[in-house]
Amino acid sequence: MPGSAESQARLAELSSAITVLQSAKPPFVPEGAEGMTIRVDYPPGTPGLPPHRHSGPAFGYVLEGEMLFELEGEPERVIRAGETFWEPGGDVIHYQDGNNRKDAWSRFVVTMFCAPGRPMLTLVDDEELARRRHLRAPRPDA
């Protein structure tokens, strides 16, 4: 085992300080991808970004508040402070990421892998949303 006996003892001692919050195997990471970590701060009631997609996978952690989260093919769900989320990126539409609370801020951190020369996110137009309507999970209010 590499490392000195002292290093190994320190590693063993500190291993209890590590908690795995999320583990996922993304379907792909674009060749030559660039990693990017961002923090998003939404005031109370902010609906978030319009429907969009990312060029690569994204992994997130809610720091504060609640996020209403919806990916194509999955029902919308609420992710609360201390919980994680991920999305595969690529062709999957990200419908919602808004603040689910009208009385508190929502803050989350996202690490994503962007394909070279592509923007972090691309908005989806109304025509494409209409063509892919059948791929969206049923809405609770629909």
Side-chain angles (χ1 to χ4, degrees), residues 28-30 33 53-58 87-90 112-115 118-120:
F28 77 102
V29 174
R53 63 173 47 96
H54 298 283
S55 62
E87 59 184 283
M112 60 191 74
F113 296 92
C114 304
R118 304 254 324 266
M120 173 177 69

Side-chain angles (χ1 to χ4, degrees), residues 26-31 33 51-59 71-72 86-95 111-116 118-124 128 132 135:
F28 77 102
V29 174
E31 182 70 31
H52 61 278
R53 63 173 47 96
H54 298 283
S55 62
F59 303 86
L71 293 179
E72 187 172 65
W86 87 282
E87 59 184 283
D91 193 40
V92 176
I93 295 175
H94 185 169
Y95 285 98
T111 298
M112 60 191 74
F113 296 92
C114 304
R118 304 254 324 266
M120 173 177 69
L121 68 87
T122 304
L123 297 179
V124 178
E128 184 175 4
R132 295 173 71 119
L135 299 173

Side-chain angles (χ1 to χ4, degrees), residues 93-105:
I93 295 175
H94 185 169
Y95 285 98
Q96 297 186 70
D97 70 352
N99 186 343
N100 193 50
R101 303 273 308 265
K102 302 221 182 300
D103 62 343
W105 281 75

